Amino acid sequence: MDYHIEELISEEKIEKRIAELAKQLDEEYAGKEIHLVVILKGSVFFACELAKRLTVPVTLDFMAVSSYGDGMVSAGEITVKKELDEDIADKEVLIVEDILDSGVTLYNLKILLAARNPKSLKIITLLDKKENHEAGIKADYVGFDIPNKFVVGYGLDYAQKHRNLPYVGVVIPD
Ligand code: IMP
Ligand code: MG
């Protein structure tokens, strides 16, 4: 497929919003430690920018799950491709996601992690396609609500490409 990418959210806007989210988290987790569970690969860019701006103590771990192949259509369940290194029991866990689309990934992930008895379990997502949610799931913190379009950049890929774009753009077929 031939396509081009049109900017939807600029790098400047993203970074400003991440700073706001970090400030909000600093206030809400004051006196606590946040354990970031970063979902590979897409959330890494967002997680780094967020973590750098937090002043409460932060630890982090990584997990890889998949609900999609290399295309644009959702499957229905998740597969754990890389497990966490550490136990999350009694930790203030914040799942860091790049995008909440149908919600299937996070719905299943939340059930999986809740069973490990964290002290708290919340979700932050950079992007939220609210109108698309099928699973009964909602992020606790959202960077941007976006329309139901396929986007890339700032960690998000199309067939593994464009994760390194510093902005978020829409994939437009030519
Ligand atoms: P969900 O389970 O439908 O919420 O899908 C979540 C996952 O699908 C994300 O973590 C992304 O990897 C992928 N995804 C959903 N929408 C997009 C998009 O617009 N661009 C790139 N990846 C997407
Ligand atoms: Mg993906």
Side-chain angles (χ1 to χ4, degrees):
M1 179 180 96
D2 289 328
Y3 62 92
H4 65 282
I5 296 163
E6 274 175 19
E7 184 176 294
L8 180 67
I9 312 169
S10 70
E11 181 175 17
E12 197 188 355
K13 273 197 191 146
I14 296 170
E15 292 187 349
K16 187 164 167 275
R17 182 70 188 122
I18 293 177
E20 288 171 4
L21 288 167
K23 193 162 174 280
Q24 189 184 349
L25 291 170
D26 268 345
E27 286 164 9
E28 293 181 21
Y29 287 82
K32 299 175 182 169
E33 285 185 18
I34 304 185
H35 187 63
L36 300 177
V37 166
V38 182
I39 309 306
L40 296 170
K41 306 170 188 168
S43 310
V44 167
F45 295 72
F46 173 41
C48 289
E49 293 304 314
L50 183 70
K52 284 192 290 181
R53 288 169 175 83
L54 290 169
T55 62
V56 291
V58 171
T59 52
L60 47 90
D61 203 350
F62 299 90
M63 193 168 190
V65 297
S66 72
S67 64
Y68 278 36
D70 275 346
M72 291 191 184
V73 183
S74 177
E77 53 185 54
I78 56 166
T79 312
V80 176
K81 291 184 163 179
K82 186 217 169 285
E83 245 312 340
L84 293 171
D85 289 335
E86 288 148 46
D87 192 5
I88 57 166
D90 290 323
K91 291 183 178 159
E92 312 276 4
V93 174
L94 182 61
I95 302 172
V96 183
E97 254 291 21
D98 48 5
I99 191 163
L100 186 50
D101 184 8
S102 70
V104 170
T105 310
L106 277 175
Y107 178 81
N108 289 301
L109 187 62
K110 217 179 165 186
I111 292 170
L112 196 82
L113 296 182
R116 301 180 188 180
N117 300 315
K119 191 178 281 173
S120 65
L121 182 60
K122 289 191 173 183
I123 295 169
I124 187 167
T125 185
L126 178 63
L127 305 173
D128 195 356
K129 293 186 192 171
K130 280 213 169 70
E131 60 183 275
N132 247 18
H133 295 191
E134 290 164 17
I137 190 101
K138 187 171 157 292
D140 300 278
Y141 307 95
V142 174
F144 299 91
D145 289 322
I146 62 162
N148 184 18
K149 300 205 166 115
F150 196 85
V151 292
V152 292
Y154 223 88
L156 288 146
D157 72 300
Y158 172 46
Q160 297 303 327
K161 282 186 260 181
H162 313 301
R163 293 190 194 276
N164 59 317
L165 283 177
Y167 57 85
V168 170
V170 180
V171 174
I172 316 270
D174 291 328

